[in-house]
Structures are given as structure tokens and as C-alpha cells.
Amino acid sequence: MTREIADEEVVTQYGNSQTDPVFRTRPDPESPTPRAMSATVGRLTPAAIAKLVRGYERPAGDLARYARVGDLRQAGFEVRHTPSNRNPGHVSIEWPADWDDTVAERFDRCYGESNG
Amino acid sequence: MADTIQIERWHRPWAPASDARLVETLNYYDRPLIGIIEQHGVKHLFRCVGGHIEPHHVWIYTCVTGSEADALVRTNDPEKLEALIGEFFAQGPVAVAAADDADGVWGSTIIDAFTVEELRTGYDRIIREFHQYLKSKQKEAAASHPLSTSASS
């Protein structure tokens, strides 16, 4: 069941210090959502977001970072609740056109420091 | 014997052949991570088992019946869904595919395993071959870069 996501809510993005980039800032153009990035609603620990995405915790390098939904919307992104069976809190952060470097930087600036 | 999925190189792992299509997504994070594919009227469960947010990833596939696929779609409890997925993969055979963001699926193999050791051997083989492919790809990229000679010597 989808619900409205309020501006005051926080979303968590999952990253890993051993990957390049540590946090993705643009969608895979070949994915079914070439204009949207994933996040999960709530302030989750790296272990909790890892469990939702991978199904298990990765021992080293897992990171999480957080953005306020109102900040993402103010920057021009649409934030929608798009749950899946495995991740009921999944949200899509969509840009209305193709993502270029400017959009990627704009997206990146909405997030704070990472928590590992 | 159950139908095994026919995987073609250079397709995305969630639609790994020209005649395969994604019909259900059970987990998604920047790309489909668990879902159901249909090919030639047969349903196949797939999941990413490594590299979920990384540029290189490993995927497994197994055939499921229509009623098994329905059960997966109806299960909203993450723990119960994990248990069901584990049960279906344990029935085998399992296809394993290695892929990267740039090229899609690089290679795959079928593991008709009856023991954990057989499963591990088949899995290790494709991972080892995939690493060799990635190394040769990096070498090619370095060779085509104008600064590669001084950087690598």
C-alpha cells in the first residue's frame, strides 16, 4: 500500500566505501527507472539498509546517508512511495528529465554526511 | 527436468535475453534485485546475490511454476518471502550469471547441483572467469588511454 511521504520525513540512501562511487548519484539509464534513484524512508543504520537491499549485512564498508524529503522536493525532485514486497519503505526520487551532471550534483547536495 | 532460462550475453540481468521480459519486481534498489521473468511462457525467479549497488554483479535464476510465482507475489512479509525464495532455489537447477553496468550479462552457466560442494564449484568457476574478463577489459581500457604507458610502467 502506497502512502504520501511528508516533507518532514527523512530518507536513507545506501552506499559502500569499497565501491566507486561510494554513493550513486545518477540512475542506470538501462534500468526500468532511468530518471529515478532509490532510497528508503526513515533514518536507517547501514546494517538495516543493507539487510533491506541485499538481504544480508555486508561486514565491511556499508554506509548510509540521509536527506530530508522537503529538501529533495525544493531541489526539484519528486519523492514517491514505491514499496516492494521485500522493501515496504522504498521510495523513488525522480527528476522530470534526463539526469546530467548538474542534476547529479543537485541530488548529491541534498544528502548530508554519511554514517558508517 | 525443469526448464532452465536461456541467457544471452549483453542483456540486462533482469531481462537476460531478447525473448525474456520482467513480469514482477519483488525487490528494487536502483534496479530490479529480485523478481520474476517470463520466457517462452515459462516463469523464472531471479535474484541478485552479489554486487547489489556495485558496478559488477552476480545473479541466480531458477524456474518456478505459475502457482509458485503467485505465492511469491502475494508474500509481503520480507522474512517469509526470503524463506520462500530459498525454498525455490533449493529445488534447482540454478543458472548463475555475471554482469556489469556497462555491458550487461557477460556470461552464465547452469548448475544442476545436488550438493553444496557442486554448487560452490560451479559458482566459483563463473566468478573466476568473470574476474579474468574484467581484468582484460581494464587492460584494454588502459591500453587505449593516452597516459596508460607511463602510468602502468
Side-chain angles (χ1 to χ4, degrees):
Chain A
M1 182 77 85
T2 59
R3 67 172 179 86
E4 288 298 312
I5 306 292
D7 283 353
E8 297 72 37
E9 293 190 73
V10 168
V11 295
T12 302
Q13 188 186 17
Y14 180 41
N16 189 280
S17 62
Q18 296 174 1
T19 68
D20 182 20
V22 173
F23 289 97
R24 286 178 177 252
T25 56
R26 60 179 68 215
D28 175 354
E30 303 288 335
S31 78
T33 54
R35 290 178 175 178
M37 292 290 292
S38 288
T40 297
V41 70
R43 182 177 286 271
L44 305 181
T45 64
I49 185 82
K51 191 91 195 303
L52 284 170
V53 175
R54 297 183 194 272
Y56 57 88
E57 293 173 30
R58 188 170 159 160
D62 275 342
L63 296 171
R65 65 177 185 171
Y66 312 99
R68 197 178 151 272
V69 171
D71 292 342
L72 286 159
R73 286 182 175 142
Q74 186 127 27
F77 296 96
E78 188 183 348
V79 182
R80 289 190 304 115
H81 186 214
T82 48
S84 67
N85 299 44
R86 188 70 181 63
N87 184 355
H90 183 269
V91 295
S92 298
I93 301 165
E94 295 182 34
W95 184 253
D98 290 343
W99 286 52
D100 56 18
D101 290 346
T102 313
V103 180
E105 281 169 29
R106 188 182 281 240
F107 175 81
D108 203 34
R109 279 201 301 270
C110 292
Y111 280 93
E113 291 296 304
S114 64
N115 164 17
Chain B
M1 182 176 155
D3 288 301
T4 49
I5 192 163
Q6 306 297 307
I7 295 174
E8 296 168 10
R9 271 183 150 185
W10 317 135
H11 288 267
R12 295 286 130 182
W14 50 87
S18 49
D19 55 5
R21 67 189 179 96
L22 177 67
V23 292
E24 294 288 349
T25 302
L26 304 171
N27 196 18
Y28 194 96
Y29 200 85
D30 293 333
R31 54 190 169 219
L33 295 174
I34 304 175
I36 297 166
I37 292 162
E38 193 171 291
Q39 185 183 50
H40 309 146
V42 176
K43 290 192 165 69
H44 303 270
L45 171 64
F46 74 92
R47 85 172 301 167
C48 180
V49 291
H52 300 71
I53 57 168
E54 288 82 5
H56 311 129
H57 14 100
V58 181
W59 304 75
I60 56 176
Y61 306 78
T62 196
C63 178
V64 288
T65 65
S67 58
E68 288 170 340
D70 290 344
L72 288 163
V73 172
R74 281 197 311 268
T75 305
N76 286 310
D77 180 290
E79 298 298 323
K80 286 181 183 165
L81 184 63
E82 275 300 319
L84 208 51
I85 289 169
E87 189 185 310
F88 294 152
F89 274 111
Q91 294 171 3
V94 173
V96 182
D100 73 3
D101 279 357
D103 298 333
V105 172
W106 162 78
S108 66
T109 189
I110 304 293
I111 304 175
D112 199 356
F114 294 99
T115 67
V116 172
E117 193 52 43
E118 285 173 323
L119 187 62
R120 188 175 293 136
T121 303
Y123 185 86
D124 285 350
R125 181 165 50 81
I126 187 133
I127 297 301
R128 203 167 45 244
E129 290 171 3
F130 187 46
H131 280 162
Q132 284 167 357
Y133 162 71
L134 291 173
K135 270 189 194 168
S136 65
K137 197 169 145 178
Q138 280 169 349
K139 271 188 192 166
E140 275 176 30
S144 65
H145 193 280
L147 298 176
S148 63
T149 309
S150 56
S152 60
S153 59

